[in-house]
Amino acid sequence: ASGPPSGYLAVRATGAAPTGSPVDGTTYSVGDVIGDGTVEFVGNAVTFNDAGLSAATTYHYNIYSYNGTAGTFNYLTGTGPLQGSRSTLAAEPADQPTSLTFANVTANSIDVDFSEAASTPAGYLVIRRSGASPTGVPSDGTAYSVNDVIGDGAVAYIGDFASLPFSDGSLSSATVYHYDVFSYNGSGSSINYR
């Protein structure tokens, strides 16, 4: 028979894709163990919310389709499950830096500095815009590089506090520049901005 399956079984593990496969005829519930993974979803929906996860952790999922009802489940295991992984965000920094200052102003560059946030985040992202304060904000889970565009501004700096002050060069002369500074924790797809 063809058509959509009766439902889906999602198994989650950390560190690597879950091992083990569901056994035909077995009814599984959320929290059951299959190999080194845990069942996180059983049902006919194609999305589910997996809550109670740890920050900055990569979770791996195996999704199996099945046909049948309780006691007669037949899991599609011969072709291998649909697999995917995703990292959760790092904990958001508790606060922002303070005391933005400028020094060594020339016709085409400015040294930018600020006081470190009390919570000592992993780093800072600085957005620059000429003429008015930037209105864009960085997106959690997205790593940026210098000169990347965020809204109506551009990234002028991304890095840790030890690398400050930074010199913002190649600026236009006689132009007012505005800077927004965001704290962040994590890196890559787990980066979380405040």
Side-chain angles (χ1 to χ4, degrees):
S2 62
S6 300
Y8 303 94
L9 174 82
V11 181
R12 179 190 77 204
T14 58
T19 61
S21 297
V23 176
D24 287 343
T26 304
T27 301
Y28 293 97
S29 299
V30 172
D32 288 347
V33 174
I34 298 175
D36 65 352
T38 304
V39 175
E40 296 301 325
F41 174 78
V42 179
N44 59 6
V46 294
T47 62
F48 66 96
N49 182 20
D50 195 4
L53 304 177
S54 298
T57 303
T58 301
Y59 291 94
H60 302 268
Y61 294 86
N62 284 353
I63 311 294
Y64 298 91
S65 55
Y66 64 82
N67 280 318
T69 58
T72 66
F73 288 122
N74 183 7
Y75 300 96
L76 179 60
T77 59
T79 59
L82 173 64
Q83 295 184 317
S85 63
R86 180 68 165 106
S87 297
T88 54
L89 296 175
E92 184 176 274
D95 51 7
Q96 294 284 25
T98 59
S99 304
L100 184 62
T101 60
F102 305 98
N104 300 321
V105 178
T106 70
N108 301 102
S109 69
I110 302 171
D111 287 353
V112 181
D113 201 1
F114 46 84
S115 297
E116 186 169 25
S119 62
T120 315
Y124 301 92
L125 179 135
V126 180
I127 301 174
R128 172 192 65 242
R129 179 181 177 201
S130 63
S133 184
T135 59
V137 295
S139 296
D140 292 336
T142 302
Y144 295 96
S145 298
V146 171
N147 295 323
D148 284 352
V149 174
I150 299 177
D152 53 12
V155 176
Y157 174 81
I158 186 157
D160 61 22
F161 186 75
S163 300
L164 292 173
F166 74 93
S167 181
D168 193 11
S170 301
L171 303 176
S172 297
S173 62
T175 303
V176 175
Y177 288 94
H178 298 261
Y179 294 83
D180 284 354
V181 182
F182 297 86
S183 303
Y184 69 83
N185 280 326
S187 62
S189 63
S190 70
I191 199 165
N192 195 349
Y193 301 95
R194 178 176 178 95

